Amino acid sequence: DAKTTQPTSMDCAEGRAANLPCNHSTISGNEYVYWYRQIHSQGPQYIIHGLKNNETNEMASLIITEDRKSSTLILPHATLRDTAVYYCIQGGNKLVFGAGTILRVKS
Amino acid sequence: DAMVIQNPRYQVTQFGKPVTLSCSQTLNHNVMYWYQQKSSQAPKLLFHYYDKDFNNEADTPDNFQSRRPNTSFCFLDIRSPGLGDAAMYLCATSGGGSGGEQFFGPGTRLTVL
């Protein structure tokens, strides 16, 4: 079973930052936090991952709390093409997907 | 571009008729995964290969088998498809080791008549 909890859905205005929360209170010391997204009828796409430190790449930023029990994915300037299901996953080599958050970006 | 390729994108089979889905990769990755994604559900891992070592998930039905003849190719065989096996089947690869991202193919949508 998935070990993370996420809101079922969120809305975001186009051009604004989208902040997607995730709780992973059972995360162990060697488990990473991964974020993937899946646009309708496509394969999941990797966004970002982190262990302890905050991470940033060309797609997003990942903020991990100091106790590592929760994190936030930030899409700095959401566009309509960012509408997707966003999955937060704790783990290592194997990914156990939960239900994810449906992010709807609206104009 | 290096990528994960799945063929065909759409596959129709008959109830009980064996079907094979294929996946190839140009990333030279050690690990290849197969996931099943039913309508409105999250992807679920069926099994994975680390090089030639096969790792089956505990709840994967015996009806599902896999072959990896070389680094680049991996096949999913469904011996006797049932109506409940209709789903999107996703192949993914990774370089192995903790902390690596998985690269997913576009998936094969299987319909069972």
Side-chain angles (χ1 to χ4, degrees):
Chain A
D1 290 346
K3 296 176 263 188
T4 62
T5 55
Q6 299 176 250
T8 302
S9 64
M10 294 180 63
D11 291 339
C12 178
E14 188 178 21
R16 305 296 294 267
N19 297 283
L20 291 86
C22 178
N23 288 320
H24 33 80
S25 58
T26 64
I27 197 166
S28 63
N30 61 351
E31 287 185 312
Y32 288 77
V33 179
Y34 297 89
W35 283 86
Y36 285 76
R37 72 180 183 184
Q38 188 171 24
I39 296 169
H40 184 62
S41 295
Q42 297 182 20
Q45 177 191 22
Y46 167 83
I47 302 173
I48 200 167
H49 75 283
L51 187 62
K52 296 180 185 177
N53 299 323
N54 299 336
E55 302 287 345
T56 295
N57 63 20
E58 64 279 3
M59 289 183 69
S61 295
L62 174 60
I63 309 298
I64 303 175
T65 58
E66 193 168 339
D67 63 7
R68 301 187 69 234
K69 293 185 177 182
S70 65
S71 62
T72 301
L73 178 74
I74 302 172
L75 307 178
H77 305 286
T79 70
L80 298 178
R81 288 181 295 180
D82 292 322
T83 292
V85 180
Y86 286 76
Y87 296 103
C88 168
I89 303 165
Q90 70 178 72
N93 292 332
K94 297 197 298 185
L95 302 178
V96 179
F97 288 81
T101 296
I102 300 170
L103 175 68
R104 289 180 282 256
V105 181
K106 300 183 176 181
S107 59
Chain B
D1 287 343
M3 56 198 309
V4 181
I5 302 160
Q6 291 189 246
N7 285 309
R9 294 292 312 276
Y10 300 90
Q11 176 74 57
V12 180
T13 191
Q14 292 181 333
F15 183 94
K17 184 175 181 180
V19 65
T20 295
L21 309 181
S22 71
C23 176
S24 64
Q25 55 132 340
T26 60
L27 298 158
N28 204 34
H29 279 167
N30 296 98
V31 192
M32 294 187 77
Y33 306 81
W34 279 104
Y35 292 83
Q36 178 192 62
Q37 185 173 25
K38 295 186 177 180
S39 181
S40 302
Q41 296 183 20
K44 181 177 181 295
L45 181 65
L46 294 173
F47 27 58
H48 73 279
Y49 274 95
Y50 195 115
D51 292 324
K52 293 184 178 181
D53 292 332
F54 178 70
N55 299 271
N56 200 29
E57 293 301 299
D59 56 355
T60 298
D62 292 340
N63 199 25
F64 292 86
Q65 309 272 311
S66 186
R67 296 170 283 136
R68 189 178 186 187
N70 53 52
T71 300
S72 300
F73 285 87
C74 196
F75 299 98
L76 170 62
D77 300 309
I78 308 176
R79 292 192 299 185
S80 182
L83 298 179
D85 297 327
M88 175 78 85
Y89 289 89
L90 296 159
C91 175
T93 74
S94 74
S98 293
E101 63 184 277
Q102 290 189 20
F103 295 81
F104 283 81
T108 294
R109 183 166 297 283
L110 177 69
T111 300
V112 181
L113 301 178

